[in-house]
Amino acid sequence: MRISVTFRHTEPTDALKEYAETKFGKAKKYLEEPLQAEVVLTVEKFRHIAEINLRADGTVFNGTESSDNMYSSIDLVADKLERQIKKHKTKGKSKAVHARNAAQQSLGKE
């Protein structure tokens, strides 16, 4: 998994970079390789904004969250991203189950 962390209007720190990499590295357990994540951490006055663009399996997942603390912004956007990935995975499974049931019904009618 490739994770690039970009800092805007703030000093880059290793602690924030490692925290973001570990939080978004957990997406590996839901998605198959190759994964590519671009994290942008921005500070605008009192708002700390965390943005992520994750590309995997031909699908793009995006998330943006802001708060008064960069760590909590990263946590919030990681939760949002996890919900999107789980929804995408269950959506694919429900379509496959529906298609399999339709195929079985059509075979049973003949």
Side-chain angles (χ1 to χ4, degrees):
M1 177 175 194
R2 269 190 29 214
I3 300 175
S4 66
V5 181
T6 305
F7 293 88
R8 290 190 184 150
H9 310 294
T10 186
E11 291 295 318
T13 63
D14 290 334
L16 271 175
K17 184 176 181 178
E18 289 175 13
Y19 188 73
E21 288 175 348
T22 56
K23 276 300 221 183
F24 299 120
K26 293 178 182 179
K28 288 191 288 189
K29 67 181 178 181
Y30 298 111
L31 300 170
E32 295 180 15
E33 296 285 337
L35 300 175
Q36 182 179 1
E38 296 153 4
V39 181
V40 180
L41 304 175
T42 309
V43 175
E44 294 178 355
K45 291 192 179 185
F46 300 107
R47 292 181 351 164
H48 295 257
I49 303 167
E51 300 176 40
I52 177 126
N53 294 321
L54 178 73
R55 292 181 185 90
D57 301 334
T59 307
V60 179
F61 301 98
N62 299 308
T64 303
E65 285 292 332
S66 65
S67 70
D68 59 346
N69 182 355
M70 188 59 77
Y71 288 99
S72 63
S73 295
I74 293 170
D75 289 339
L76 291 170
V77 77
D79 292 341
K80 181 184 277 189
L81 189 69
E82 187 175 344
R83 282 192 308 269
Q84 287 180 12
I85 293 170
K86 285 181 179 179
K87 183 177 180 180
H88 175 73
K89 286 294 188 180
T90 58
K91 190 177 188 181
K93 288 180 183 177
S94 65
K95 285 183 181 180
V97 169
H98 181 68
R100 185 177 61 233
N101 290 341
Q104 287 176 350
Q105 287 179 355
S106 66
L107 290 174
K109 290 182 180 179
E110 293 178 350

